[in-house]
Amino acid sequence: MKPDQGLFQFDFDDHHAVLGVPITADAKAVRKRYLAIARKLHPDSLSGATATQAQQASDVLSKLVNPAYEALSQEKSSTEHALVLKLKGQSLRQTGTAPPVTSALAQDLLKAAHIDAAYRQAVSGLAERQFDQLEVVSKVMGELSELNLVYLYRSSASDRTSSSQPARQTQARPNTPTTTASPLPRQNQAAILDSYINRAQEYEQNKDYSRAILELREAVKTYPHNGACHSYLAMLYFKAGQSTMARIHAKRALEINPNDERASQIQARVDKASGGSTTGSAKPSTAKGANPKTSDPKSSDRGGGFFGLFGGKKK
């Protein structure tokens, strides 16, 4: 068997599955796990291995582990990865049906009473033996990817239930005091949102799209269901030459408000710039703030994107 045969059977853009860490892992946990894997696959740790096994270890480290760690350790790519995970969870929630999974662990996780604890335990168990047999490393990563898929589905559904619960309690018992913190008044929310947008507009006028994008990303974190924020962020990404992210936010804006004219225009411009291809990219901007290296949409489009990566095994 050649070193790479049997190793790469699913979409390895699921960086958490490659490293064997939960999708909730912080930067410190990701680094700790990466260093442990690097030591395990280092030639000095493989003194009794055959030449074929040593080559397999080298391939796994250089072609899978290192790129995954790089993606999760860099702030920009990690933030964008987290955003796509969130959108994936929302997409799963909207389907209303459980994702199809094949591994016993993933099927058990679908029924687990305490999703967070069960998910962490399942990931930890697989991670312990993930790199023991390199011939089946893709199988283990595929199982991890299915666990990620189920967790996104279950946690998104839980978020939706918990967010609607206070409203139901208020309707059922209108005179009962509550200890739940009151949301900000609408005028305060509007003022905070305006501050983000105003700063972004100032940066945009100076063609400093990177900083404008940062402002809008913070706005989207605070107000994830504001379609205008998503459509404005889509426009900024397009101006910065990042068509993949422009497409993601334009799509989200249209999900919130199908009549969002700006989002429709951005979506059409992205499609036109890419020649109608869903994996194409707009011509990168050379304006201030559009780093040619970080603005390359190919870095986000590798391997078919995130929306088809979880739980799928390529044969």
Side-chain angles (χ1 to χ4, degrees), residues 12-130:
F12 290 96
D13 277 343
D14 186 349
H15 308 306
H16 294 88
V18 172
L19 294 179
V21 294
I23 58 178
T24 54
D26 59 18
K28 184 177 179 180
V30 169
R31 177 169 174 75
K32 181 178 179 181
R33 174 62 176 168
Y34 168 73
L35 293 176
I37 297 171
R39 284 194 297 269
K40 187 177 185 67
L41 298 181
H42 193 275
D44 292 344
S45 302
L46 302 170
S47 56
T50 65
T52 298
Q53 291 171 331
Q55 184 60 53
Q56 286 179 335
S58 177
D59 286 346
V60 170
L61 183 61
S62 63
K63 298 180 181 179
L64 303 181
V65 176
N66 287 343
Y69 175 66
E70 183 179 356
L72 292 182
S73 61
Q74 295 182 0
E75 182 180 359
K76 178 178 179 295
S77 58
S78 178
T79 300
E80 293 179 354
H81 183 70
L83 171 62
V84 179
L85 287 177
K86 184 175 181 179
L87 292 176
K88 175 64 179 177
Q90 292 172 348
S91 176
L92 288 169
R93 185 181 66 195
Q94 289 171 358
T95 64
T97 57
V101 291
T102 59
S103 70
L105 281 174
Q107 291 172 353
D108 289 343
L109 190 61
L110 278 171
K111 300 174 289 186
H114 304 288
I115 179 63
D116 290 287
Y119 169 64
R120 289 194 299 270
Q121 183 177 359
V123 171
S124 177
L126 283 177
E128 286 183 3
R129 60 180 177 84
Q130 184 176 6

Side-chain angles (χ1 to χ4, degrees), residues 192-268:
I192 294 173
L193 185 57
D194 285 344
S195 68
Y196 283 123
I197 293 176
N198 290 338
R199 287 193 296 268
Q201 288 175 338
E202 290 177 3
Y203 288 129
E204 181 192 1
Q205 289 174 358
N206 294 324
K207 300 187 185 301
D208 193 348
Y209 300 127
S210 294
R211 292 189 179 183
I213 287 171
L214 287 176
E215 292 293 337
L216 259 294
R217 280 186 359 198
E218 289 300 316
V220 165
K221 286 181 184 178
T222 308
Y223 306 100
H225 304 298
N226 187 294
C229 281
H230 284 282
S231 65
Y232 186 20
L233 184 53
M235 184 185 74
L236 292 172
Y237 270 122
F238 184 82
K239 287 187 174 183
Q242 299 184 50
S243 64
T244 298
M245 296 306 297
R247 182 182 291 110
I248 288 173
H249 285 282
K251 179 181 178 182
R252 179 61 183 142
L254 291 171
E255 288 174 352
I256 297 171
N257 177 16
N259 297 319
D260 191 315
E261 184 175 349
R262 177 166 55 190
S264 298
Q265 292 176 349
I266 293 299
Q267 192 173 63

